[in-house]
Amino acid sequence: MLRRQALPGPRVERRSRLAPAEFFHEYYRRNRPVVIEGLMEDWPARTRWTPAWMAEHFGDETVEVMAGRDAQELPDLHADRLRRDVPLRELLARFDGAPANDMYLVARNSLLLREAFRPLLEDLRAPEGYIHPDLREPDRVHLWLGPAGTLSNLHHDHLNVLFCQVWGRKQVWLAPSWETPWMSNVRGFYSAVDVLAPDLERFPDFARVALHTVEVGPGDTLFIPVGWWHALRALDPSLSVTFVSFEQTPGLNTFWREGWLGATPPEEHR
């Protein structure tokens, strides 16, 4: 088992300009991750949303971040304790420092739903045939922003996610849902294992897990299938956008109204 951890992890397929029909048949319905190139070529955000531009146009706007993460074990489990409102320029100023996980703007911020930031939606394009085109409906699109070093540790989502990397690079680890018995699922959707330094004395079962690994860079889109465990670490200052309203799925809230998943959705998806 330890030998499995020492070997290079399985690689995630990388496809260019993947047709929606093939995506849904080969990956979405088969619960397989894939990196897709070429879906973001028409996004004005790719060139416009530099840190300097964001500071100039939105720097004085207050945003909610998770701060003090470095001092908190498993910070993703303590979002309420770590919430803090800061001017956006304070977060952007950290991009020039050393890599750190201390301050991160995450999806639960719902930044793009706020009136002051609504103009940013004009610079995004829902990948045609993949994602519902109306981005102004609640919970259709979320934004992640932080310096190099930010880490979203091992967790899984209750919906399929299309993860779009606008700028910067992220290292991603993935494990399929059937590895759940070995993931030390401590609470809700989260694992207690530190993906950067797994403590196999505390969590010996994690040695059974063969993690898939992939790096996503500017313009890359990663499909994270529902139930797949994943962790993401920013290798550079990074801005990412995520979508959950796929064209061939029921509306987001239908899952809960009709009782398909039998649980209350996490806050970031309400």
Side-chain angles (χ1 to χ4, degrees):
M1 294 177 186
L2 290 174
R3 183 172 178 272
R4 288 183 68 192
Q5 288 285 319
L7 294 173
R11 304 301 296 181
V12 177
E13 279 190 71
R14 181 176 285 269
R15 301 288 304 273
S16 179
R17 305 178 190 278
L18 182 64
E22 185 177 0
F23 162 73
F24 281 104
H25 184 266
E26 295 294 329
Y27 300 98
Y28 186 94
R29 296 196 182 98
R30 296 186 181 186
N31 198 239
R32 297 169 55 201
V34 62
V35 175
I36 309 165
E37 302 172 353
L39 294 187
M40 301 168 59
E41 291 180 346
D42 59 346
W43 286 29
R46 291 278 316 279
T47 55
R48 184 173 298 162
W49 290 8
T50 65
W53 182 88
M54 296 184 77
E56 178 184 354
H57 290 83
F58 302 97
D60 294 329
E61 296 291 341
T62 299
V63 297
E64 181 188 276
V65 298
M66 293 178 64
R69 290 164 57 88
D70 283 338
Q72 175 68 61
E73 184 180 11
L74 301 176
D76 295 320
L77 289 175
H78 302 282
D80 288 337
R81 184 183 308 169
L82 301 177
R83 293 176 189 270
R84 179 180 163 196
D85 291 334
V86 302
L88 179 59
R89 69 173 72 255
E90 181 177 333
L91 173 61
L92 295 171
R94 295 186 175 230
F95 289 10
D96 295 328
N101 189 34
D102 202 51
M103 184 179 290
Y104 195 14
L105 190 158
V106 299
R108 67 179 65 244
N109 185 283
S110 297
L111 185 79
L112 297 174
L113 296 181
R114 292 178 47 195
E115 193 62 35
F117 291 95
R118 282 275 178 155
L120 292 176
L121 290 174
E122 302 300 325
D123 294 338
L124 303 177
R125 302 289 184 269
E128 187 175 357
Y130 285 75
I131 298 297
H132 193 284
D134 186 356
L135 300 184
R136 293 191 171 270
E137 290 296 317
D139 297 310
R140 290 263 169 99
V141 57
H142 291 93
L143 185 144
W144 308 73
L145 178 66
T150 54
L151 174 70
S152 294
N153 208 10
L154 287 164
H155 65 285
H156 66 89
D157 294 319
H158 63 289
L159 294 169
N160 293 290
V161 174
L162 197 65
F163 180 91
C164 302
Q165 190 65 14
V166 181
W167 40 262
R169 297 170 300 140
K170 282 190 172 177
Q171 179 73 35
V172 186
W173 298 263
L174 301 111
S177 58
W178 53 87
E179 302 270 19
T180 295
W182 324 123
M183 298 299 297
S184 296
N185 189 180
V186 288
R187 193 175 85 198
F189 297 84
Y190 298 97
S191 169
V193 178
D194 180 353
V195 72
L196 298 181
D199 185 340
L200 297 182
E201 291 188 4
R202 289 181 62 194
F203 310 110
D205 284 341
F206 191 70
R208 300 170 179 259
V209 179
L211 291 174
H212 300 241
T213 58
V214 67
E215 180 180 303
V216 293
D220 285 343
T221 298
L222 170 65
F223 172 60
I224 304 174
V226 61
W228 274 64
W229 291 87
H230 52 285
L232 306 95
R233 183 172 187 263
L235 305 176
D236 311 303
S238 171
L239 191 152
S240 314
V241 169
T242 56
F243 300 99
V244 295
S245 294
F246 288 83
E247 281 280 35
Q248 297 195 23
T249 59
L252 181 61
N253 292 324
T254 302
F255 287 101
W256 313 108
R257 286 198 304 269
E258 299 188 5
W260 293 358
L261 299 180
T264 301
E267 179 182 354
E268 62 264 35
H269 292 300
R270 291 179 194 165

